[in-house]
Amino acid sequence: MRPRKSAEPAGDRAGTAARATIHDVARLAEVSTATVSRVLSGGKAVSPEVSDRVRAAARDVGYRPNPAAQTLLRGSSRTVGVVVPDLGNPYFAEILKGVAAEAAADEHHTLVAGTEEDPEQEYRSALELARWVDGLLLCAPRMSTPRLREVAEAARRLVLINRVLRHPAVGSVVVDYHLGVRALCEHLASLGHKRIVYLQGPTAAWSDQQRQRGFRSPEASGLTIIRVPCGSTLVDGREAVDEALTYKPTAIICFNDHVAVGVLSRLRELGLSVPADISVAGIDDAPMSAHTDPGLTTYAVSTVELGRQAWQRFAPTPTTATTHIQGTLTIRASTARPPR
């Protein structure tokens, strides 16, 4: 075996790296281009000595495999597309962190698209990503069911978070938000509250429908629930406060913690004290919720578990069943007995 030729001087590599080809690697490692392809794509096994030589040569010349070519060779991009309705929402950001960590541990990449709560943009982004990735993860998709079925047919694999679709190849991970709303209502009722405003989420949000389910039992047991249109952002919460107060509630339950932070801000502007004048509660337990003033009572959901469960559905033997995740009631200083 002849000794491997020496690599270029380090100072010349920067100019070479941009134009390095598989032929450069093969020439330096003294093997065929087919062998280089097998080693770098993880294809048919070669000897450890040859594999080490090829990888060292690739490093020396600064060769980076073409992702499109690698996909053709493997029949897989080792990439998963993630679509979320709002990249500015800390809840989705935490889910993304969890999914990306699970993907990286499994040597996969993630491509992320935000859709600004626009179902049409969400639909187009999902179809476009489906062309390039091995699987698609949609977080709380807002698009209609017929369009979601179109995406399911276009994607190699589709997993949903906080949405259910009856389809033989689609798995879902959902939070039992109706239980969370019931827990919040029972907590407020135990404090003596009778009249509660709920700031609704986006009209297209499946998870808002689940939250609404949670109010049916409290209404039957004597609580008065007034629903006020809102949304999912901090600005939405701030802008909904004035209308909510016209109903003279003693407590406000918000679609999520992001909305609740906006509510706290507006109440402070109006000179109202939380919880002395009015109680406020959120849902999801976003990272900032423990640090607001006062700390926010919320229904805490494990985004780490959501991400882990979702990633498992991309495993070699995926399940298409729906996994239900329950949160926990986290009581902080934003809720107290109503004013006399």
Side-chain angles (χ1 to χ4, degrees), residues 52-311:
D52 291 344
R53 202 162 76 237
V54 168
R55 294 184 188 281
R59 287 194 301 271
D60 285 345
V61 301
Y63 175 70
R64 296 174 67 87
N66 184 307
Q70 295 288 86
T71 298
L72 287 173
L73 284 169
R74 291 192 300 249
S76 166
S77 65
R78 299 194 72 79
T79 302
V80 170
V82 185
V83 181
V84 300
D86 182 6
L87 286 172
N89 187 324
Y91 175 69
F92 295 120
E94 290 296 306
I95 290 177
L96 282 175
K97 284 171 57 179
V99 172
E102 292 287 333
D106 203 22
E107 297 184 340
H108 278 68
H109 303 286
T110 51
L111 289 177
V112 179
T115 62
E116 300 296 328
E117 293 284 355
D118 183 349
E120 183 64 27
Q121 183 180 339
E122 179 183 74
Y123 169 70
R124 293 195 304 266
S125 297
L127 286 181
E128 181 63 25
L129 276 177
R131 298 173 54 204
W132 303 101
V133 298
D134 294 337
L136 203 57
L137 172 62
L138 303 185
C139 294
R142 311 307 200 206
M143 72 183 80
S144 66
T145 297
R147 288 204 154 177
L148 195 54
R149 290 188 182 279
E150 286 185 50
V151 173
E153 295 301 324
R156 293 187 183 183
R157 190 170 295 168
L158 178 63
V159 176
L160 306 177
I161 288 181
N162 287 333
R163 180 78 180 265
V164 174
L165 179 70
R166 293 185 178 181
H167 189 283
V170 176
S172 298
V173 183
V174 301
V175 177
D176 286 333
Y177 282 116
H178 62 288
L179 297 179
V181 167
R182 285 167 61 179
L184 286 170
C185 285
E186 289 170 3
H187 165 62
L188 291 170
S190 72
L191 293 172
H193 292 272
K194 299 291 185 182
R195 193 172 181 82
I196 298 170
V197 160
Y198 170 57
L199 298 185
Q200 297 174 298
T203 55
W206 178 88
S207 62
D208 186 64
Q209 299 168 20
Q210 302 309 301
R211 287 162 167 81
Q212 301 271 10
R213 282 179 55 199
F215 288 115
R216 295 172 190 167
S217 176
E219 283 179 331
S221 64
L223 284 180
T224 298
I225 307 297
I226 303 103
R227 293 164 176 81
V228 172
C230 183
S232 62
T233 70
L234 186 151
V235 173
D236 291 332
R238 186 181 182 282
E239 293 180 348
V241 168
D242 289 51
E243 181 182 351
L245 293 178
T246 64
Y247 297 100
K248 301 189 183 304
T250 59
I252 298 175
I253 295 178
C254 304
F255 172 74
N256 61 25
D257 289 3
H258 213 195
V259 169
V261 172
V263 169
L264 292 174
S265 174
R266 179 57 179 159
L267 290 173
R268 190 157 46 245
E269 288 177 0
L270 294 173
L272 293 174
S273 174
V274 177
D277 296 320
I278 188 168
S279 290
V280 177
I283 295 173
D284 286 335
D285 197 24
M288 72 257 195
S289 301
H291 308 288
T292 56
D293 183 20
L296 187 65
T297 292
T298 185
Y299 181 66
V301 176
S302 171
T303 52
V304 172
E305 184 63 13
L306 270 174
R308 190 182 70 81
Q309 291 283 351
W311 181 254

